[in-house]
Amino acid sequence: HEPEAIPTEAIREEYENLADLVRKYRFAYYQEDAPLVSDAEFDTLFRRLEEIEALHPELVANDSPTQEVGGEVSAAFAPVEHLQRMYSLEDVFSLAELEAWLNRAEASIEKIGDGGVKAAWLTELKIDGLAVNLLYRDGKLVRAATRGDGTTGEDITHNLLTIKEIPQELRGNGFPAEMEVRGEVFIPSKAFAEFNEALIEAGKAPLANPRNAAAGSLRQKDPAETAKRPLKMFVHGIGAREGLAAGSQSETYGLLKEWGLPVSPYFEVLETRDDVLAFIERYGDQRHKLLHEIDGIVIKVDDFGTQRALGNTTRVPRWAVAYKYPPEEVHTKLLDIQVNV
Ligand code: NAD
């Protein structure tokens, strides 16, 4: 986009209203675990906000939703400062946008490596859950926190420990003196359906969707309540680390798995763009047959050195992108209505 001259009053007003609406929807989604609109609807509004900002950079304030990781810290939990900031992900909504993103990333990588670096793409499923940050010191879990605003999260250690697969102590040896393990907490699709059936049988209201159910479950005040929910976690990143002997993210996953952490069975390291596109297509076809819900695919630069060289914006890493599948239209037989899921 070519930046336009001075924004008119009408543009300024549209922009302010849109920013307020995005803030309101984020609050309902992150703080109350009760979204007011569909993700597709939210994404469209967010996109429009980014478009206006691209045309009128002078409108962009430091507290614009595009400059922040969505999510706040509730007073119900003790605040936790992450050792290393947690980020969101840049989204693309079509294969053409993905190609453009890959072109840009490959050009930057080539510059960094003087043409000698070859990008290997770590492709993963984008799990529709809640991001958490686990701090291990000398192999012992010190605390667990939600992402919050990226800098400060909420202490949910007791709730997280109700998830059986998460080790309080790592097994084996060679683990770093200190490391932050990032992952996604989710409710598997089958367990979600069963949990909801049980609620309905008991005359209670079912949970709206697995993502908000996972977020709501993890942010209970009483860990005994969390323990009743069928939560799981898969690792998808690493934050601060001291003495980690691994040069890439996939290599790190191998180590984390050895140490007893739950690593997703679905990730792959791919050399070519065609392989990345095939991965997207394959999981697009299978998305409802997987262990958990997904809303897209995450494509990351695997090599840590290249990740560091590419760096981050205030909101997202420049070395990763989320491809979002188009929202599906579900036609119900009884009622002739369409709903976005
Ligand atoms: P995001 O969900 O688009 O991406 C970042 C997050 O993806 C990470 O923090 C992590 O938790 C998660 N993730 C899942 N699998 C991952 C993987 N393999 N690797 C890395 N990260 C992985 O960004 P966001 O800022 O958390 O939220 C935006 C999303 O939330 C959008 O999908 C948006 O539609 C939705 N949202 C909806 C509403 C609403 O009202 N419906 C409001 C706010 C946000």
Side-chain angles (χ1 to χ4, degrees):
H1 297 290
E2 278 295 300
E4 280 173 13
I6 304 152
T8 60
E9 207 37 55
I11 295 271
R12 196 176 282 278
E13 202 178 311
E14 181 193 355
Y15 176 77
E16 299 289 338
N17 289 341
L18 206 52
D20 284 346
L21 203 57
V22 164
R23 283 194 195 98
K24 175 175 142 184
Y25 290 158
R26 270 189 172 172
F27 188 83
Y29 182 87
Y30 291 113
Q31 285 315 108
E32 295 169 339
D33 301 319
L36 298 169
V37 288
S38 74
D39 285 359
E41 219 169 312
F42 178 85
D43 290 342
T44 307
L45 292 177
F46 194 80
R47 220 349 107 107
R48 176 74 189 134
L49 201 63
E50 286 180 324
E51 271 170 20
I52 299 178
E53 289 189 348
L55 290 169
H56 305 286
E58 63 275 39
L59 288 176
V60 186
N62 283 343
D63 69 344
S64 160
T66 64
Q67 306 299 305
E68 293 178 334
V69 170
E72 288 155 62
V73 178
S74 153
F77 300 91
V80 170
E81 291 274 313
H82 304 307
L83 301 185
Q84 202 178 86
R85 200 173 142 76
M86 294 180 80
Y87 291 92
S88 179
L89 285 168
E90 184 176 343
D91 290 321
V92 290
F93 296 93
S94 69
L95 294 177
E97 281 182 13
L98 176 64
E99 293 255 353
W101 188 92
L102 290 169
N103 285 341
R104 281 199 306 277
E106 279 172 0
S108 309
I109 293 167
E110 208 154 303
K111 253 190 231 158
I112 297 162
D114 293 326
V117 173
K118 196 158 161 250
W121 300 109
L122 175 64
T123 47
E124 302 178 4
L125 304 188
K126 188 163 185 299
I127 307 166
D128 209 4
L130 179 77
V132 291
N133 187 25
L134 315 179
L135 176 63
Y136 284 92
R137 281 205 182 106
D138 295 320
K140 291 191 179 65
L141 182 73
V142 177
R143 63 177 189 229
T146 61
R147 187 181 74 181
D149 64 7
T151 304
T152 310
E154 300 155 314
D155 190 329
I156 41 113
T157 312
H158 295 297
N159 292 353
L160 197 100
L161 282 173
T162 66
I163 304 177
K164 284 189 295 293
E165 298 93 356
I166 296 180
Q168 228 166 329
E169 259 187 66
L170 301 181
R171 61 167 190 245
N173 46 47
F175 25 79
E178 185 170 78
M179 76 172 164
E180 289 183 306
V181 176
R182 272 87 193 258
E184 196 83 353
V185 170
F186 62 94
I187 298 185
S189 309
K190 191 160 165 274
F192 179 73
E194 288 166 3
F195 191 79
N196 260 354
E197 266 166 40
L199 282 178
I200 293 167
E201 258 168 45
K204 294 182 185 157
L207 304 170
N209 63 54
R211 189 267 161 205
N212 295 298
S217 301
L218 203 58
R219 297 172 75 242
Q220 292 286 320
K221 289 209 190 80
D222 179 4
E225 276 308 309
T226 306
K228 292 180 194 160
R229 313 289 177 93
L231 295 171
K232 272 178 107 61
M233 187 197 87
F234 278 146
V235 166
H236 56 51
I238 182 118
R241 66 208 85 154
E242 212 183 285
L244 177 72
S248 69
Q249 192 146 335
S250 58
E251 206 183 319
T252 304
Y253 289 170
L255 289 172
L256 296 178
K257 196 172 170 192
E258 268 176 39
W259 296 330
L261 282 152
V263 172
S264 170
Y266 299 115
F267 79 87
E268 285 178 32
V269 181
L270 303 171
E271 297 288 334
T272 72
R273 218 178 254 216
D274 283 349
D275 290 341
V276 171
L277 296 179
F279 185 93
I280 290 176
E281 197 180 318
R282 177 150 40 96
Y283 283 107
D285 292 341
Q286 299 178 19
R287 63 187 285 197
H288 298 300
K289 297 181 197 137
L290 303 170
L291 180 65
H292 51 71
E293 291 278 320
I294 61 172
D295 62 343
I297 297 295
V298 188
I299 300 137
K300 303 173 178 175
V301 169
D302 192 30
D303 178 62
F304 279 153
T306 316
Q307 287 186 4
R308 261 194 306 275
L310 289 172
N312 310 286
T313 72
T314 52
R315 196 177 71 86
V316 295
R318 290 199 190 87
W319 46 265
V321 70
Y323 168 82
K324 294 276 184 88
Y325 288 113
E328 294 171 310
E329 284 183 347
V330 177
H331 296 265
T332 61
K333 281 188 187 142
L334 289 175
L335 304 162
D336 190 21
I337 54 163
Q338 292 184 356
V339 281
N340 285 321
V341 290

